[in-house]
Every structure is written in structure tokens, then in C-alpha cells.
Amino acid sequence: MTPDRRILPTAEGAADEAVMLFAESAESAIRDRGRFVVAVAGGSTPRAVYQRLASEPMASRIDWSRVDLLWGDERCVAPDQPASNYLMVRTTLLDRVPIPEARVHRIRGEDRPDEAAERYELELRTLLGKATGPPSIEHVGRIDLVLLGLGVDGHTASLFPGGDWARDTTSWVRAEYHEASSTWRVSLTPLIIDAARRVVFLVVGRDKAGIVKQVLDSPPRRTPLPAQVIAPVDSRVCWILDAAAGSEIETRE
């Protein structure tokens, strides 16, 4: 099934679209299952989304007491460091909306990377009610929404080209060293991302146009780009782009 492609005129419009999709997903999940489990992205692009969610009318529209907040990935740094994805989300969203602390499930970037990954997988398994085996796609045992970005090299979350994650078919969470940035990262794997009810890529900027085209319109290479590996089991994936990022892809009627 062809992914849902939504191209907005501006980056601000793309952020607004992502906010509306977030709110609709939250309301639906809370109405149907009593909670909303969402994995948020780091980096600079989703910052505008979190700022909007923390402002009216969204701050009052969403029942934050029923939101379980996860992270798609984290750099292995302390939570008060500027590079921390947790810190960015805390300052833009968590400090401004009433999410109970017990529902904030951060990756402990200050721990040893392998221990942080192991601890986070256990936390996710407890939250989703799946002690062993692959993630469930039954009524409750899934993440409701995963927000993702896209790097110019085709990476998403902290799944980078050439990483060992591509050969791991059992882990929900992995720690890997990223040579280019000389940092350890902890990331959700495609196994758990693909089990989500909905996956949303938010990509803006002319510098992303070429890689967006490669991911969406070019035949996969023998070794697919990380973003091409994301294939939710029920095909509910949406790409929200600004006009600059979507300037090279084929349009869909």
C-alpha cells in the first residue's frame, strides 16, 4: 500500500498537520482503550510540534493524564545535557502539560548503552503487556503512534545505514555506536516500530528533498535505507512534508 503523503506549503503548516494527527490519534486511543501510547522523536524538526501541543487549544484538548510518553531514540548522554532528546521534549512539552511522571518513560542515556537498551526494552514489554517474544498487534499491546524524522543519509530514529540493527530480528531496543558522530545511541528497532498502530514521518527543508525522493520513489537498494525498512504491519504510515522537502517526489492524487 502506498504511504499517505501530505505535502504542506510551509514547515509551519507541516507542524500544524502533525499536531492535528497527534491530537486525533490521542483522542481515538483514549476513547477506545483508555490510554495513548506515543513514541516521540528528537532532533530540531519536531520541536515546533511539541511547542504547539503545549499551547492552547491543544494543551487543554488532550487528556494528558492518560498519555504514556516514550522516546524513539536517545543519545547516550545525561538527561540535562543539550544533546539529550529527553531534555528537548521536557523543555518544550513536559514542563508545560500535566503528564504524570509515572507515564514518562525516558531512555536512561546516562547508563551504560547496553544496560540502557535492556532496561528500556523491559519497560516497554511491561507497559505493552508482552513479557517475551515479538510485539503484539492485538487490541492493546501496541504503541499507538510513533513519530519519526529522516536524516540526509536515510536514517530514522537512531537506525543508521550499515548498523548491526539490520541483522537483529528479535530486539525491541538496541544500543549502537555511531561512528560519524562518535556517540552511542539507544533506539527502538523496526520490529517494535512496525507493530505500532500508526507511524508518522515529519520531514522539512530543501536539504531533505533528495533523500525523501530516494526513500519514497526509488527502488530499494540491495540493502534498503533505514527509513525504507519501516513498514507497519497494517500499512498505516504517513509522511508529512513541507513543500521544500517534497519538491522532488511524485505527487499522488
Side-chain angles (χ1 to χ4, degrees):
M1 184 181 295
T2 302
D4 180 8
R5 304 178 181 193
R6 306 184 188 184
I7 302 178
L8 288 301
T10 64
E12 291 76 14
D16 289 338
E17 185 76 8
V19 167
M20 291 304 298
L21 196 151
F22 185 106
E24 291 166 2
S25 296
E27 290 170 338
S28 175
I30 292 168
R31 180 182 64 248
D32 295 344
R33 293 175 294 280
R35 68 176 184 180
F36 177 50
V37 183
V38 57
V40 295
S44 58
T45 300
R47 182 185 298 270
V49 174
Y50 308 144
Q51 290 170 335
R52 284 163 167 77
L53 287 169
S55 303
E56 296 299 342
M58 289 302 167
S60 297
R61 173 175 169 178
I62 296 170
D63 183 354
W64 296 102
S65 70
R66 295 179 179 269
V67 174
D68 279 286
L69 198 69
L70 311 175
W71 271 256
D73 70 316
E74 182 60 277
R75 298 175 179 89
C76 290
V77 298
D80 60 353
Q81 294 300 301
S84 168
N85 289 338
Y86 166 79
L87 179 64
M88 187 273 283
V89 177
R90 173 156 291 285
T91 56
T92 56
L93 179 64
L94 294 178
D95 287 344
R96 301 168 62 190
V97 297
I99 299 181
E101 196 64 33
R103 289 186 178 268
V104 177
H105 310 275
R106 75 175 180 89
I107 299 170
R108 291 180 57 85
E110 68 272 32
D111 292 349
R112 273 183 38 179
D114 57 340
E115 292 177 353
E118 183 178 357
R119 182 195 297 260
Y120 206 55
E121 177 159 338
L122 179 60
E123 186 163 355
L124 294 190
R125 287 183 175 278
T126 300
L127 179 68
L128 300 179
K130 195 72 166 64
T132 60
S136 171
I137 58 170
E138 300 304 322
H139 185 60
V140 293
R142 305 168 71 180
I143 299 174
D144 293 301
L145 175 65
V146 178
L147 297 175
L148 296 172
L150 179 70
V152 294
D153 59 355
H155 86 265
T156 190
S158 282
L159 306 172
F160 290 90
D164 290 338
W165 61 267
R167 294 178 287 279
D168 186 340
T169 60
T170 60
S171 298
W172 293 19
V173 184
R174 278 192 63 89
E176 293 202 4
Y177 186 73
H178 183 228
E179 293 282 354
S181 62
S182 301
T183 57
W184 277 93
R185 310 283 187 101
V186 174
S187 180
L188 301 188
T189 68
L191 184 67
I192 184 65
I193 294 172
D194 286 349
R197 288 186 171 84
R198 173 172 282 171
V199 175
V200 174
F201 285 87
L202 175 63
V203 189
V204 302
R206 184 66 183 83
D207 63 323
K208 301 291 180 68
I211 194 63
V212 167
K213 177 177 176 59
Q214 188 173 344
V215 169
L216 290 180
D217 289 337
S218 299
R221 312 181 209 175
R222 183 174 181 181
T223 302
L225 292 167
Q228 291 176 314
V229 173
I230 303 303
V233 292
D234 50 8
S235 301
R236 299 200 67 188
V237 58
C238 177
W239 285 76
I240 299 176
L241 312 167
D242 71 347
S247 60
E248 296 185 17
I249 64 171
E250 299 174 11
T251 57
R252 297 284 190 267
E253 296 297 330

